[in-house]
Amino acid sequence: MNRRDCLALLGTIAALPAPVLAQQPVRRLGVLSVIADEVIGQARLAEALAADDWKEQLKIDWRSGAGDRARIAGFADELIALKPDVLLAIGTPSVEELCQRTNTIPIVFAVVTDPVSQGFVKNLAHPGGNLTGFTDYDGPLAGKWLEMLAQVTPKLSRVLVVYNPATAPFAPLMLRTIEDAARTLHVTVEPAPVDDIASIAALASRRDGGVLVLPDFFTMANRAQLLAAIGEARVPAVFWSRLFVEEGGLMSYSTDSAEQLRRAASYIDRILKGAKAADLPVQNPTKFELAVNLKTAKALGVTLSPGLLAIANDVIE
């Protein structure tokens, strides 16, 4: 190419519209969620990524398993086949399924309990491998839930702990903490695994004691049936998400899942810009909220302690 042709080419490039010059390859994010989009906050994730300049240059493939482990596994296969640049795993079953299929694609997780004990990462500060992300609950918090039930009047002596073993594989970790707290509080703890609508409905016959519902997206997906069964049993219950209380449950002590997605978006942004998942520390939740439903308490004929009400972030009357 001679000097005249070179100058002509440079002039042509200079005349191109700015968007053409700035155009970058579209990147791909695969999201595997255990629960439905509207519950976990798909819109908030998209907003957070758009704020990081990924509105036009990132395609998001979202798959929701609705608390069904088989569907989650099938969607994991679909997402891996799309060859995304990064994956977002929401909930423990999503992390497990994606980890079984790739050790090279970066995975950011959110709403996951105790990722070290579950073997997802080496430690929080230096996760190693291709995973990092944001936790929601830890073992000691499970003891807090039991303490809340112990403050109900009349005093409880027996508590059922509800979870689905398939979608809450971390439940044994929490049960150990709950049983330790139970000895101090003089409460008998009874595991109550559920895995379908029939087993949830059977809870309606358990009319003594109280109920503690562990973090589990199966119970979230089937919360209407769960709340109906507990309401029929007329027993006090503590839940892992404020959404249960808004829909008629008695109490919850929880993190903000939507906030976790906003924080996860910052890690996705950094990975897309070249950071390694292994170099990004796993972060614990920084905000917890206590919600109580006084209308439900009155219907159950129970009294919530003044100390509990004093620290509540949200009191539904």
Side-chain angles (χ1 to χ4, degrees):
M1 181 181 293
N2 59 36
R3 182 173 180 274
R4 178 179 295 177
D5 292 337
C6 183
L7 290 173
L9 178 59
L10 290 174
T12 300
I13 293 175
L16 288 174
V20 175
L21 290 174
Q23 188 173 7
Q24 300 291 330
V26 174
R27 313 293 292 279
R28 198 157 200 160
L29 166 65
V31 182
L32 182 58
S33 175
V34 181
I35 195 64
D37 308 354
E38 68 276 6
V39 173
I40 203 65
Q42 181 179 2
R44 291 184 177 89
L45 174 67
E47 289 170 4
L49 288 168
D52 288 324
D53 299 324
W54 291 107
K55 185 174 183 179
E56 304 294 340
Q57 297 175 346
L58 182 66
K59 176 175 176 52
I60 302 177
D61 299 293
W62 189 290
R63 301 290 187 274
S64 302
D68 185 315
R69 190 60 186 252
R71 290 185 66 190
I72 295 166
F75 286 145
D77 287 329
E78 287 185 20
L79 289 173
I80 295 297
L82 294 173
K83 299 180 179 179
D85 296 282
V86 61
L87 290 158
L88 172 61
I90 303 173
T92 292
S94 297
V95 181
E96 287 186 331
E97 295 296 342
L98 290 175
C99 283
Q100 291 174 15
R101 291 161 173 79
T102 181
N103 58 9
T104 57
I105 301 174
I107 300 173
V108 176
F109 57 76
V111 200
V112 169
T113 299
D114 201 346
V116 176
S117 294
Q118 293 196 77
F120 297 147
V121 298
K122 294 178 180 178
N123 58 64
L124 301 185
H126 304 285
N130 62 319
L131 280 83
T132 188
F134 299 85
T135 69
D136 58 351
Y137 302 101
D138 56 17
L141 187 59
K144 176 67 176 178
W145 288 322
L146 190 63
E147 289 175 14
M148 290 169 60
L149 275 176
Q151 293 182 48
V152 170
T153 304
K155 182 176 174 59
L156 301 178
S157 60
R158 181 169 163 276
V159 172
L160 297 179
V161 181
V162 177
Y163 63 95
N164 183 340
T167 52
F170 49 82
L173 304 173
M174 287 192 159
L175 278 169
R176 286 197 290 271
T177 300
I178 293 169
E179 288 164 354
D180 288 343
R183 284 189 283 272
T184 302
L185 297 168
H186 306 292
V187 175
T188 299
V189 171
E190 181 182 336
V194 293
D195 57 10
D196 56 22
I197 300 302
S199 57
I200 291 176
L203 294 173
S205 65
R206 310 299 293 269
R207 297 177 182 273
D208 58 324
V211 172
L212 193 164
V213 181
L214 293 187
D216 179 358
F217 284 113
F218 172 84
T219 57
M220 176 63 80
N222 296 282
R223 64 188 181 279
Q225 295 86 348
L226 182 59
L227 285 167
I230 293 173
E232 185 176 343
R234 295 187 57 77
V235 294
V238 170
F239 300 90
W240 63 277
S241 170
R242 173 178 171 167
L243 190 57
F244 286 91
V245 179
E246 293 174 350
E247 297 181 8
L250 179 62
M251 297 184 287
S252 68
Y253 188 58
S254 63
T255 59
D256 185 341
S257 297
E259 173 63 20
Q260 285 208 29
L261 286 198
R262 286 191 287 268
R263 298 172 73 193
S266 68
Y267 269 17
I268 292 167
D269 171 61
R270 292 172 67 177
I271 289 171
L272 289 171
K273 292 175 179 175
K276 295 183 181 298
D279 297 333
L280 300 175
V282 175
Q283 298 187 39
N284 287 323
T286 58
K287 180 182 178 183
F288 294 90
E289 293 184 336
L290 169 62
V292 298
N293 191 317
L294 292 184
K295 181 178 179 181
T296 301
K298 183 177 180 180
L300 291 173
V302 300
T303 302
L304 304 181
S305 74
L308 196 65
L309 292 174
I311 62 174
N313 302 93
D314 189 15
V315 177
I316 299 173
E317 300 186 60

